[in-house]
Amino acid sequence: VTREAAGPESLDPRPADLRLELTRDANAPAVARAAVRSLCDDLEIGSSQPQTLALLVSELVSNAVVHSGAPIDRPVHVCVGVSESTVRVAVTDAGQGFGEGFAPAIREPTQPRGRLGLYLLDRAARRWGVDHTHGTRVWFELAR
Amino acid sequence: VLDLGKTYEIETAVEAGAGRVTFVGELDIASAPELQASSLAMVRDEARELRIDLSKLSFIDSSGLRVLIALRDAAAAEGWKLSLTRPTGEVLSIFALTRADEHLPFVEDARP
């Protein structure tokens, strides 16, 4: 797994295959999962990836809902781009949830606290990263 | 924006002195607090033994895993017995990804 400070420019393809603006509440992860599953159906993305994609989208949107630090009325944006070989997802919120000098404190999942979501991201994504150019944007790539 | 309605159901029952919580649907930040509260209420008020039936779990993320781990720890600390009915299919791969399946008290469910 490769982790980078900022994703490639192509992470924000225009037009993206899916763009969502979500209200920052506890239902946002379920709404995002339903949308990416529907996209997988439409694009006939393989059988194991939709579950992994839904999982990682759920983790990043949950992080944005819980840890953003932005005013509650600022939405969470999800952007999904699909190429022949890759699915790219970026989740952006207006806060600074990861803070300066972010380093993932990855722990064994037997511990109830800690960044279990980032542990999952690190295990399952081909590459991922965080940038703070506009709020907090966390992105990842999966093989299609 | 999609209107999903409720993406989960939680049923509780007491059978022969043992509590049973059946979770149906998606376990995430919207549903994990209710599963935790329902489970803890059952062992506080009704039983010293709790089975959480996850056979109809359709999705789980770290919020859900964290609650299951917290319940396991509460059971150990408070001296009640927790067991989990294993989920099926794709959901099981999420447990395997975290290796949480090695640390949670899954049992085979003999019930039909």
Side-chain angles (χ1 to χ4, degrees), chain A residues 33 37 58-59 108-109 112, chain B residues 26 61-62 66 69 98-99:
Chain A
R33 291 195 304 271
R37 285 182 184 129
S58 196
E59 296 301 337
E108 286 299 304
Chain B
E26 304 194 324
D61 66 13
S62 66
R66 203 173 284 115
I69 292 164
T98 61
R99 306 212 310 267

Side-chain angles (χ1 to χ4, degrees), chain B residues 29-40:
Chain B
I29 58 169
S31 52
E34 188 178 332
L35 176 63
Q36 185 166 25
S38 300
S39 300
L40 292 175

Side-chain angles (χ1 to χ4, degrees), chain A residues 21 25-27 29-31 33-35 37 47 51 54-55 58-59 62 65-66 108-114 116-117 119-120 123-124, chain B residues 1-2 4-5 7 26-30 58-63 65-66 69-70 72-73 90-94 96-100 103:
Chain A
E21 181 173 302
D25 63 22
N27 295 319
V31 174
R33 291 195 304 271
R37 285 182 184 129
S47 60
Q51 181 81 329
L55 172 65
S58 196
E59 296 301 337
S62 298
V65 168
V66 176
E108 286 299 304
T110 53
Q111 301 182 22
R113 300 189 189 285
L116 182 55
Y119 176 88
L120 285 172
R123 290 288 299 271
Chain B
V1 171
L2 304 165
L4 297 170
T7 58
E26 304 194 324
L27 188 49
D28 68 358
I29 58 169
S58 60
F59 176 82
I60 188 167
D61 66 13
S62 66
S63 309
L65 291 168
R66 203 173 284 115
I69 292 164
R72 177 205 63 182
D73 292 348
E90 290 183 336
V91 184
L92 207 50
S93 67
I94 300 176
L97 188 65
T98 61
R99 306 212 310 267
H103 303 285

Side-chain angles (χ1 to χ4, degrees), chain B residues 5-75:
Chain B
K6 205 174 177 189
T7 58
Y8 68 98
E9 294 289 337
I10 296 173
E11 294 170 14
T12 60
V14 178
E15 298 165 15
R20 188 176 189 96
V21 175
T22 304
F23 187 93
V24 180
E26 304 194 324
L27 188 49
D28 68 358
I29 58 169
S31 52
E34 188 178 332
L35 176 63
Q36 185 166 25
S38 300
S39 300
L40 292 175
M42 183 145 278
V43 291
R44 188 187 59 223
D45 302 332
E46 310 267 10
R48 298 304 291 165
E49 200 176 322
L50 179 67
R51 168 73 59 90
I52 301 178
D53 184 347
L54 299 176
S55 61
K56 290 176 183 148
L57 182 70
S58 60
F59 176 82
I60 188 167
D61 66 13
S62 66
S63 309
L65 291 168
R66 203 173 284 115
V67 160
L68 297 178
I69 292 164
L71 288 170
R72 177 205 63 182
D73 292 348

Side-chain angles (χ1 to χ4, degrees), chain A residues 90-114:
Chain A
V91 175
T92 308
D93 68 77
Q96 294 292 328
F98 283 82
E100 284 294 315
F102 163 74
I106 291 170
R107 303 184 189 187
E108 286 299 304
T110 53
Q111 301 182 22
R113 300 189 189 285

Side-chain angles (χ1 to χ4, degrees), chain A residues 53-67:
Chain A
L53 189 59
L55 172 65
L56 298 188
V57 165
S58 196
E59 296 301 337
L60 297 194
V61 173
S62 298
N63 268 347
V65 168
V66 176
H67 298 299

